[in-house]
Amino acid sequence: MHPSRIPALAFVADLVAVVVFAAIGRLSHAEADSVLGLLGTALPFALGVAAAWATPWVRSAPASLRAGAVVLAGAVVVGLVLRLGFLGRLPLSFAVVATISLAVLLLGWRGISAAVARMRAPRTPTR
């Protein structure tokens, strides 16, 4: 893969992770399966992802675990604050589950990417 494509693919992977998070959450609560409902659930967290991507820590190495931690922090903080602002409530259980779920998704694809990159790297002979 050409290195210039990595930032765009990483950004899309982060947005897909947020949509997957929102879809699983909506399904687990038997909420209406409308596209607008899904987008409404995902939007606050996607805005947090976009805010994190504005930082140099993410743009300098977007597939790194450090970038993932920054994206996670942005998604969780912005997403939960916006959710609180729009709904007027924020159950602690939701905040915990959202943080853990987003961590698995946003850090998970980066961990898998790092493992694949290590496996594909040329091996140096040991003496």
Side-chain angles (χ1 to χ4, degrees), residues 56-112:
W57 302 291
V58 176
R59 287 180 290 140
S60 65
S64 70
L65 288 175
R66 180 182 76 168
V70 173
V71 173
L72 173 63
V76 168
V77 170
V78 173
L80 294 179
V81 166
L82 288 175
R83 186 173 169 90
L84 174 63
F86 286 123
L87 298 180
R89 61 184 171 80
L90 181 64
L92 179 61
S93 59
F94 175 78
V96 170
V97 169
T99 302
I100 292 169
S101 300
L102 286 167
V104 167
L105 293 166
L106 294 169
L107 299 175
W109 77 256
R110 286 175 168 88
I112 292 169

Side-chain angles (χ1 to χ4, degrees), residues 11 14-15 18-19 39 41-53 74-75 78-79 82 102:
F11 183 68
D14 285 341
L15 291 179
V18 167
V19 171
L39 293 177
T41 301
L43 184 61
F45 300 97
L47 291 174
V49 166
W53 269 85
V78 173
L82 288 175
L102 286 167

